[in-house]
Amino acid sequence: MKSSPIRLKQKLSPKAAAAKKRRDTAMAKTPARKAKKAENQRIGQRSDSDLHHSGLGAPVRVSIKNNRGNFGKGTKTE
C-alpha cells in the first residue's frame, strides 16, 4: 500500500524487514483497525483535516497539526 510518494525506508535486514511486514499486516487486519478504516471511508477524508479516533466513540475531525503533533505534547513520549 503506497500512500505517499515519499518513502522513508528503515535500514532493516531482509529478515527484520519481513518480520516487520508480517507484524504491520497483522495489525492492519485487526477488527478494531478494519472498523476504523471502514468508518473513515464512509465519512470521507479531506485535505485540510484528519479524523481522530479518541476512545470516546465517533471520530472527530481535527486539524492535521493537532492530530499529528499529539495535541501540542509532541510525539517523543508516545
Side-chain angles (χ1 to χ4, degrees), residues 9 12-14 16 22 24 29 31 38 40 45 62 65 68:
K9 300 280 282 183
L12 300 175
S13 68
R22 284 193 300 272
D24 289 350
K29 292 183 178 180
N40 282 351
Q45 183 60 283
V62 297
K65 180 180 178 181
R68 298 183 188 179

Side-chain angles (χ1 to χ4, degrees), residues 7 13 24 28-29 35 38 40 42 49 53 57 59 62-63 66 76:
R7 304 298 293 173
S13 68
D24 289 350
K29 292 183 178 180
N40 282 351
R42 282 193 299 273
S49 62
H53 286 85
V62 297
S63 74
N66 279 339
K76 287 193 175 194

Side-chain angles (χ1 to χ4, degrees), residues 40-51 61 68:
N40 282 351
Q41 286 182 341
R42 282 193 299 273
I43 294 169
Q45 183 60 283
R46 295 193 322 220
S47 61
D48 63 340
S49 62
D50 277 342
L51 295 171
R61 193 171 294 279
R68 298 183 188 179

Side-chain angles (χ1 to χ4, degrees), residues 7-26:
R7 304 298 293 173
L8 301 174
K9 300 280 282 183
Q10 289 180 312
K11 294 179 182 176
L12 300 175
S13 68
K15 183 178 178 183
K20 183 181 184 325
K21 185 175 182 177
R22 284 193 300 272
R23 285 193 308 272
D24 289 350
T25 301

